[in-house]
Amino acid sequence: MLNFYKFIEILVSLQSLVITSMLPVYIPLPFIYKSSNNYELPITWQIPTIILLTLIFQKKVVFRAFSIYIILGLFIFPIFHQGGSLGYLLTPNFGYLLGLYPLIKIIDNLNNRNKINVGIFLKNGFIAIGAMHLTGIFYNFIQIIFYSQYNLFLYNLGKYSLGKIGYHFLMLFPLLLLIKPIERLKRIK
Protein backbone atom coordinates (compact mmCIF):
# COMPACT_ATOMS: atom_id res chain seq x y z
CA MET A 1 0.00 0.00 0.00
CA LEU A 2 1.18 3.48 -0.83
CA ASN A 3 1.43 5.65 2.26
CA PHE A 4 1.16 9.43 2.37
CA TYR A 5 4.92 10.08 2.48
CA LYS A 6 5.61 7.83 -0.51
CA PHE A 7 2.83 9.63 -2.39
CA ILE A 8 4.45 13.01 -1.61
CA GLU A 9 7.86 11.67 -2.69
CA ILE A 10 6.39 10.45 -6.00
CA LEU A 11 4.71 13.82 -6.61
CA VAL A 12 7.92 15.72 -5.84
CA SER A 13 9.89 13.42 -8.14
CA LEU A 14 7.33 13.71 -10.93
CA GLN A 15 7.22 17.49 -10.67
CA SER A 16 11.01 17.66 -10.77
CA LEU A 17 11.14 15.42 -13.85
CA VAL A 18 8.57 17.49 -15.73
CA ILE A 19 10.26 20.78 -14.91
CA THR A 20 13.80 19.66 -15.70
CA SER A 21 12.87 18.03 -19.00
CA MET A 22 11.88 21.48 -20.25
CA LEU A 23 14.93 23.41 -19.04
CA PRO A 24 17.81 23.50 -21.51
CA VAL A 25 21.39 23.83 -20.31
CA TYR A 26 23.16 27.09 -21.18
CA ILE A 27 26.77 28.11 -20.87
CA PRO A 28 27.25 31.88 -20.79
CA LEU A 29 29.99 33.08 -23.14
CA PRO A 30 30.54 36.75 -22.28
CA PHE A 31 34.03 36.82 -23.81
CA ILE A 32 32.71 36.46 -27.39
CA TYR A 33 32.33 39.90 -28.99
CA LYS A 34 32.10 41.36 -25.47
CA SER A 35 28.41 40.55 -25.29
CA SER A 36 26.29 38.27 -23.16
CA ASN A 37 25.91 35.42 -25.63
CA ASN A 38 24.78 32.03 -24.39
CA TYR A 39 25.65 28.65 -25.85
CA GLU A 40 22.85 26.10 -25.54
CA LEU A 41 23.99 22.54 -24.92
CA PRO A 42 21.92 19.79 -26.60
CA ILE A 43 20.75 18.37 -23.24
CA THR A 44 18.42 19.19 -20.36
CA TRP A 45 18.74 18.90 -16.58
CA GLN A 46 16.70 15.69 -16.60
CA ILE A 47 19.52 13.16 -16.15
CA PRO A 48 21.21 14.99 -13.24
CA THR A 49 17.78 15.41 -11.65
CA ILE A 50 17.02 11.70 -11.92
CA ILE A 51 20.42 10.88 -10.42
CA LEU A 52 19.76 13.35 -7.61
CA LEU A 53 16.25 12.01 -6.96
CA THR A 54 17.56 8.44 -6.93
CA LEU A 55 20.16 9.40 -4.35
CA ILE A 56 17.56 11.16 -2.17
CA PHE A 57 14.64 8.74 -2.50
CA GLN A 58 14.53 5.02 -3.04
CA LYS A 59 14.60 3.37 -6.47
CA LYS A 60 10.97 2.32 -6.15
CA VAL A 61 9.78 5.91 -5.75
CA VAL A 62 11.78 7.20 -8.72
CA PHE A 63 10.67 4.24 -10.88
CA ARG A 64 7.04 5.04 -10.14
CA ALA A 65 7.46 8.75 -10.76
CA PHE A 66 9.34 8.14 -14.00
CA SER A 67 6.72 5.63 -15.18
CA ILE A 68 3.99 8.20 -14.52
CA TYR A 69 6.09 10.74 -16.42
CA ILE A 70 6.30 8.41 -19.44
CA ILE A 71 2.56 7.70 -19.35
CA LEU A 72 1.81 11.42 -19.14
CA GLY A 73 4.15 12.16 -22.04
CA LEU A 74 2.78 9.42 -24.26
CA PHE A 75 -0.94 9.80 -23.61
CA ILE A 76 -1.79 13.15 -22.00
CA PHE A 77 0.69 16.06 -22.28
CA PRO A 78 3.69 16.69 -24.58
CA ILE A 79 6.15 16.97 -21.68
CA PHE A 80 9.16 15.23 -23.20
CA HIS A 81 12.12 17.30 -24.34
CA GLN A 82 11.03 17.38 -27.98
CA GLY A 83 7.30 16.81 -27.68
CA GLY A 84 5.24 13.79 -26.75
CA SER A 85 2.31 11.55 -27.80
CA LEU A 86 2.42 7.99 -29.07
CA GLY A 87 4.40 9.18 -32.10
CA TYR A 88 7.32 9.75 -29.73
CA LEU A 89 7.73 5.95 -29.63
CA LEU A 90 8.99 6.17 -33.22
CA THR A 91 11.79 8.61 -32.40
CA PRO A 92 15.26 7.58 -31.24
CA ASN A 93 14.76 9.82 -28.17
CA PHE A 94 12.34 7.32 -26.65
CA GLY A 95 15.07 4.69 -26.43
CA TYR A 96 17.12 7.04 -24.28
CA LEU A 97 14.07 7.63 -22.07
CA LEU A 98 13.81 3.87 -21.60
CA GLY A 99 17.52 3.90 -20.80
CA LEU A 100 16.78 5.91 -17.69
CA TYR A 101 15.42 2.76 -16.02
CA PRO A 102 18.83 1.03 -15.91
CA LEU A 103 20.37 4.38 -14.94
CA ILE A 104 18.07 4.56 -11.90
CA LYS A 105 18.88 0.94 -10.99
CA ILE A 106 22.64 1.49 -11.17
CA ILE A 107 22.58 4.78 -9.24
CA ASP A 108 20.37 3.16 -6.58
CA ASN A 109 23.30 0.85 -5.74
CA LEU A 110 24.88 3.90 -4.08
CA ASN A 111 21.98 4.06 -1.61
CA ASN A 112 23.11 0.75 -0.08
CA ARG A 113 26.46 2.24 0.95
CA ASN A 114 27.06 3.97 4.27
CA LYS A 115 29.33 6.51 2.66
CA ILE A 116 29.59 7.70 -0.93
CA ASN A 117 32.95 9.00 -2.05
CA VAL A 118 33.78 10.85 -5.25
CA GLY A 119 35.36 7.85 -7.00
CA ILE A 120 32.46 5.49 -6.34
CA PHE A 121 29.92 8.13 -7.37
CA LEU A 122 31.74 8.92 -10.63
CA LYS A 123 32.26 5.21 -11.42
CA ASN A 124 28.57 4.41 -10.93
CA GLY A 125 27.58 7.60 -12.75
CA PHE A 126 29.70 6.76 -15.80
CA ILE A 127 28.38 3.18 -15.84
CA ALA A 128 24.77 4.38 -15.44
CA ILE A 129 25.03 6.95 -18.24
CA GLY A 130 26.76 4.37 -20.42
CA ALA A 131 23.92 1.91 -19.78
CA MET A 132 21.38 4.59 -20.65
CA HIS A 133 23.12 5.30 -23.95
CA LEU A 134 23.50 1.59 -24.77
CA THR A 135 19.75 1.16 -24.24
CA GLY A 136 19.10 4.11 -26.55
CA ILE A 137 21.48 2.73 -29.18
CA PHE A 138 19.82 -0.70 -28.99
CA TYR A 139 16.36 0.87 -29.37
CA ASN A 140 17.63 2.87 -32.34
CA PHE A 141 19.16 -0.26 -33.88
CA ILE A 142 15.83 -2.11 -33.60
CA GLN A 143 14.07 0.84 -35.27
CA ILE A 144 16.62 0.92 -38.07
CA ILE A 145 16.20 -2.82 -38.72
CA PHE A 146 12.40 -2.60 -38.52
CA TYR A 147 12.21 0.30 -41.00
CA SER A 148 15.16 -0.91 -43.14
CA GLN A 149 16.81 2.51 -43.08
CA TYR A 150 20.37 1.48 -42.31
CA ASN A 151 21.82 4.78 -43.50
CA LEU A 152 20.21 6.56 -40.52
CA PHE A 153 21.92 4.48 -37.85
CA LEU A 154 25.24 6.32 -37.87
CA TYR A 155 23.47 9.69 -38.08
CA ASN A 156 21.27 8.84 -35.07
CA LEU A 157 24.24 7.41 -33.22
CA GLY A 158 26.15 10.66 -33.67
CA LYS A 159 23.22 12.95 -32.94
CA TYR A 160 21.63 11.21 -29.97
CA SER A 161 24.53 9.40 -28.34
CA LEU A 162 28.02 10.46 -29.33
CA GLY A 163 26.99 14.11 -29.53
CA LYS A 164 25.51 14.10 -26.01
CA ILE A 165 27.34 11.52 -23.91
CA GLY A 166 30.23 13.86 -23.10
CA TYR A 167 27.82 16.49 -21.82
CA HIS A 168 26.01 13.85 -19.77
CA PHE A 169 29.30 12.79 -18.18
CA LEU A 170 30.10 16.45 -17.53
CA MET A 171 26.77 16.89 -15.71
CA LEU A 172 27.97 14.45 -13.04
CA PHE A 173 30.53 16.90 -11.69
CA PRO A 174 28.08 19.52 -10.33
CA LEU A 175 26.33 16.67 -8.50
CA LEU A 176 29.56 15.98 -6.60
CA LEU A 177 28.84 19.10 -4.57
CA LEU A 178 25.57 17.57 -3.38
CA ILE A 179 26.86 14.19 -2.18
CA LYS A 180 27.68 15.28 1.40
CA PRO A 181 24.41 17.22 1.94
CA ILE A 182 22.45 14.22 0.64
CA GLU A 183 24.27 11.88 3.04
CA ARG A 184 23.43 14.24 5.94
CA LEU A 185 19.80 14.42 4.81
CA LYS A 186 19.58 10.63 4.75
CA ARG A 187 20.98 10.34 8.27
CA ILE A 188 18.26 12.70 9.50
CA LYS A 189 15.46 10.61 7.93
Side-chain angles (χ1 to χ4, degrees), residues 47 95-96 99-100 102-103 127-137 168:
I47 293 170
Y96 294 94
L100 290 173
L103 180 135
I127 291 170
I129 290 172
M132 180 195 77
H133 278 271
L134 285 175
T135 305
I137 291 168
H168 290 151

Side-chain angles (χ1 to χ4, degrees), residues 59-75:
K59 164 184 67 172
K60 193 185 305 183
V61 170
V62 182
F63 270 154
R64 286 180 183 165
F66 189 68
S67 297
I68 293 169
Y69 170 77
I70 290 206
I71 290 168
L72 283 174
L74 289 176
F75 299 108

Side-chain angles (χ1 to χ4, degrees), residues 29-144:
L29 300 172
F31 53 86
I32 296 178
Y33 301 114
K34 297 182 181 180
S35 67
S36 59
N37 291 335
N38 287 327
Y39 176 69
E40 182 179 350
L41 299 179
I43 58 173
T44 64
W45 290 99
Q46 188 174 34
I47 293 170
T49 301
I50 287 179
I51 291 172
L52 182 66
L53 290 172
T54 306
L55 290 174
I56 294 172
F57 303 119
Q58 294 177 348
K59 164 184 67 172
K60 193 185 305 183
V61 170
V62 182
F63 270 154
R64 286 180 183 165
F66 189 68
S67 297
I68 293 169
Y69 170 77
I70 290 206
I71 290 168
L72 283 174
L74 289 176
F75 299 108
I76 300 171
F77 301 116
I79 55 175
F80 298 143
H81 176 58
Q82 293 178 334
S85 81
L86 282 174
Y88 204 77
L89 292 169
L90 302 175
T91 67
N93 282 336
F94 191 73
Y96 294 94
L97 276 179
L98 291 178
L100 290 173
Y101 283 111
L103 180 135
I104 293 168
K105 173 72 176 131
I106 293 168
I107 294 297
D108 187 61
N109 292 335
L110 294 172
N111 287 334
N112 300 331
R113 297 182 176 272
N114 291 338
K115 202 167 186 168
I116 304 171
N117 65 25
V118 172
I120 291 172
F121 174 76
L122 287 177
K123 182 183 102 177
N124 279 22
F126 283 126
I127 291 170
I129 290 172
M132 180 195 77
H133 278 271
L134 285 175
T135 305
I137 291 168
F138 182 71
Y139 187 83
N140 184 21
F141 187 70
I142 289 173
Q143 283 183 323
I144 295 300

Side-chain angles (χ1 to χ4, degrees), residues 129-161:
I129 290 172
M132 180 195 77
H133 278 271
L134 285 175
T135 305
I137 291 168
F138 182 71
Y139 187 83
N140 184 21
F141 187 70
I142 289 173
Q143 283 183 323
I144 295 300
I145 290 174
F146 185 73
Y147 293 116
S148 299
Q149 294 183 344
Y150 303 105
N151 57 341
L152 287 177
F153 181 71
L154 290 178
Y155 172 77
N156 287 342
L157 182 68
K159 181 178 181 184
Y160 296 105
S161 204

